[in-house]
Amino acid sequence: MTLLGLVATLALTVTTAAAQPVPIKVGLALDTSGPFSGPGQDAQRGFDLAIKQLGGKLGGQAAEFIRVDMAGNPDQARQLAERFVRKDKVDFFSGPIASNVALAAGPVMFAAKIPYLSNNAGPSQYAGAKCNPYFFGTAYQNDQFHEAAGKFAKDRGFKKMVVIAPNYPAGRDGITGFKRTYGGAVANELYVKVGQLDFSTELARLRAEKPDSLYFFLPGAMGINFIKQFNAAGLQKDITLVSTGFSADEDVIGAVGAPMEGLYNTAHWAHDLDNAANRAFVAAYRKDFGGKAPSIYAAQAYDVVMSIDAAVRQVKGKMSDRPAIVAALAKADFASVRGPFKYANNHYPIENFYLRVVTKDATGTMSNKLAGTVLTNYGDAYAAECKLPAPVRS
């Protein structure tokens, strides 16, 4: 090749490279193994469905979704978060399931000024005085979820409550939230190890305590094993179970079966919630995943991607303008499967919480059925401590 030809080839290569847009990069910290693998796999399906519907783009622009399995491990979370920042140079970050892992990953994202949209964890540490403009608790604040259950237990008139949860940030936030709205005295608080699957000791204590009701927050495999063992011990005859969607969602119902029927639980979403975005999401999810009803974790992950898509569209893909991106995210200007919601100043949602009951349909399939609204346009208890301004909405 002549020198002139080589120069022309190089010029063409440079021009072609320059014409290729740099993809918008999203880091997804998944939990496809470890103690939260069930919820983590459901979340992955929600992410995948949204990405598919958007044609792999965000705001109409090329996007790349980089996935790692954090396996519910806070010890490796910081290292993997730093890889997302330094090596992958992500523009957005989402995941993982557990609050203790989110607390480990958060500071890395905040230092790099990368928007962190939590698809599940809503730790109180990021809701109050230590709130951060780059953190969005897109799903809920931990206490909120359990405050709805506390309100339900109070309204039902349960007098002697025992509560049980894993001994990690979300578990402690959960019990705090439940007690805040329940109002009455809690006879006992039982904290178990994250990932614990044998509850013989706790069941013996319940038999001795003789409460009229038990509030349990045991997500994933913990909840599955607990309900099976609780019923095998015959405790369901005298103790009414109350929970949230985390311990009574579609993954748990499918694994436990008949003992779930009639169990009341509270959540910010239900698969039969009647709005256009939700109807479309549920139909698409059932089509793609063998007719199975989506879980809370799938719905939340789906919303995260749609939220990012709307924000990128609003800033016209200008990823260098981080304040504009944060402002666009704070508007929450997208069609959520939960229906209308908005962010408070601490970037946690103000939203409805519903009562659901596990019910058998005409085909004999059990799933959650919407049974009412427990809390309306409900914010969290920590927002007043946050010094961030309220989001500016169009």
Side-chain angles (χ1 to χ4, degrees):
M1 180 181 291
T2 65
L3 179 59
L4 184 60
L6 178 60
V7 170
T9 301
L10 288 173
L12 178 61
T13 301
V14 170
T15 301
T16 303
Q20 296 296 321
V22 177
I24 296 164
K25 295 184 178 182
V26 182
L28 298 178
L30 304 171
D31 289 289
T32 50
S33 64
F36 299 97
S37 60
Q41 290 166 17
D42 272 3
Q44 179 170 265
R45 285 189 277 269
F47 284 131
D48 288 345
L49 179 57
I51 292 166
K52 174 186 173 182
Q53 290 185 348
L54 294 172
K57 297 182 178 182
L58 289 169
Q61 304 202 34
E64 181 180 354
F65 298 87
I66 305 164
R67 306 157 191 261
V68 300
D69 178 15
M70 283 194 172
N73 188 340
D75 293 331
Q76 69 178 10
R78 185 178 181 88
Q79 178 182 354
L80 291 172
E82 286 178 345
R83 192 187 87 179
F84 271 135
V85 172
R86 297 171 187 269
K87 178 178 178 291
D88 300 315
K89 301 186 186 306
V90 298
D91 300 293
F92 299 94
F93 174 77
S94 188
I97 296 295
S99 289
N100 55 340
V101 188
L103 289 168
V108 178
M109 298 300 155
F110 304 157
K113 297 184 177 181
I114 293 171
Y116 177 177
L117 293 89
S118 177
N119 63 293
N120 184 68
S124 59
Q125 290 89 337
Y126 292 160
K130 294 182 180 179
C131 62
N132 191 284
Y134 289 94
F135 183 80
F136 289 83
T138 63
Y140 53 82
Q141 194 279 311
N142 286 343
D143 299 36
Q144 281 179 298
F145 223 89
H146 307 273
E147 286 165 358
K151 175 72 162 49
F152 169 71
K154 179 182 179 180
D155 292 346
R156 283 298 171 107
F158 295 124
K159 301 300 182 186
K160 188 177 182 182
M161 294 286 313
V162 171
V163 295
I164 183 170
N167 190 16
Y168 78 124
R172 293 188 291 274
D173 283 349
I175 297 307
T176 297
F178 179 86
K179 293 192 297 183
R180 182 179 288 123
T181 50
Y182 173 60
V186 170
N188 203 352
E189 298 179 27
L190 307 178
Y191 290 93
V192 301
K193 293 180 180 178
V194 174
Q196 180 172 319
L197 298 178
D198 179 5
F199 298 95
S200 54
T201 300
E202 290 75 23
L203 294 174
R205 294 179 69 176
L206 287 172
R207 193 181 297 279
E209 289 272 1
K210 297 181 179 178
D212 59 3
S213 184
L214 171 73
Y215 176 65
F216 71 105
F217 165 50
L218 297 165
M222 289 182 283
I224 292 168
N225 278 38
F226 178 80
I227 298 170
K228 287 181 176 179
Q229 292 168 31
F230 179 89
N231 280 271
L235 293 174
Q236 76 278 12
K237 299 172 185 176
D238 302 306
I239 303 172
T240 301
L241 291 178
V242 177
S243 190
T244 64
F246 298 126
S247 305
D249 211 356
E250 303 309 311
D251 57 333
V252 180
I253 295 170
V256 174
M260 294 290 293
E261 189 171 7
L263 195 154
Y264 284 99
N265 61 95
T266 55
H268 62 338
W269 173 84
H271 66 79
D272 54 348
L273 196 61
D274 191 16
N275 67 69
N278 193 51
R279 290 193 299 271
F281 161 68
V282 172
Y285 189 96
R286 288 184 184 277
K287 181 180 177 182
D288 278 15
F289 301 108
K292 180 182 177 182
S295 70
I296 285 170
Y297 302 101
Q300 292 172 165
Y302 181 89
D303 263 2
V304 164
V305 177
M306 293 305 183
S307 170
I308 295 174
D309 175 67
V312 171
R313 197 176 302 278
Q314 286 177 44
V315 300
K316 296 180 173 57
K318 191 176 180 182
M319 290 297 100
S320 59
D321 192 346
R322 295 290 171 83
I325 293 168
V326 167
L329 289 168
K331 290 180 181 178
D333 189 15
F334 70 103
S336 168
V337 298
R338 285 166 277 171
F341 86 93
K342 60 183 178 181
Y343 286 116
N345 62 308
N346 62 352
H347 293 171
Y348 278 95
I350 298 171
E351 58 191 339
N352 291 352
F353 286 83
Y354 304 97
L355 179 66
R356 314 185 306 177
V357 60
V358 181
T359 304
K360 188 181 294 183
D361 66 18
T363 68
T365 302
M366 287 198 302
S367 66
N368 276 299
K369 182 177 178 61
L370 193 64
T373 303
V374 181
L375 298 168
T376 303
N377 293 327
Y378 193 70
D380 68 273
Y382 303 97
E385 302 170 21
C386 175
K387 302 305 180 186
L388 293 175
V392 176
R393 301 179 183 91
S394 53

